[in-house]
Amino acid sequence: MSTVVNVNLTGAQQNGQGESYFDGGLVQYIAWSIIGVLVTVLTLGICYPWALVMIYRWKIEHTVIDGRRQRFDGTAIQLFGNWIKWWILCFITLGIYSFWLFIKLEQWKVKHTHF
């Protein structure tokens, strides 16, 4: 007795949910990246959280998943407060907290990303 499993890879489109895609352009990405680097360098790194938020917002707002465009509601001020706290913890723990820094940043990004 054999069992046949039919896998439908386009099921999302048949369920009316739509498709997933990214509609950002290369020129836009390069421009936002250059602006982010300039702002970071000219402020000696103080505005790095602003550059991160700016570029991440651009990526998220050009992403569509299952026909639903994502949106990002995080602000540079919110990230800046966390950024200071995270770097103080890195300093106090002699750099050990830096292993968790990337995870904390990703958690913050996901917390502020919505459909």
Side-chain angles (χ1 to χ4, degrees), residues 9-20 66:
L9 298 177
T10 60
Q13 292 175 341
Q14 290 180 349
N15 292 335
Q17 293 179 356
E19 59 184 316
S20 300
D66 289 334

Side-chain angles (χ1 to χ4, degrees), residues 31-96:
W32 283 117
S33 296
I34 290 172
I35 291 170
V37 168
L38 287 174
V39 165
T40 301
V41 169
L42 293 175
T43 63
L44 303 175
I46 293 172
C47 288
Y48 180 65
W50 180 80
L52 279 178
V53 168
M54 177 186 68
I55 293 170
Y56 189 69
R57 174 173 282 118
W58 177 81
K59 288 179 183 178
I60 288 300
E61 292 182 354
H62 285 279
T63 302
V64 176
I65 297 177
D66 289 334
R68 298 171 65 192
R69 185 167 298 275
Q70 291 186 323
R71 64 182 177 82
F72 181 71
D73 67 1
T75 65
I77 300 291
Q78 293 168 336
L79 181 57
F80 189 76
N82 286 322
W83 198 256
I84 297 298
K85 176 179 67 176
W86 296 336
W87 283 108
I88 289 172
L89 287 170
C90 285
F91 181 74
I92 291 171
T93 62
L94 302 176
I96 294 172

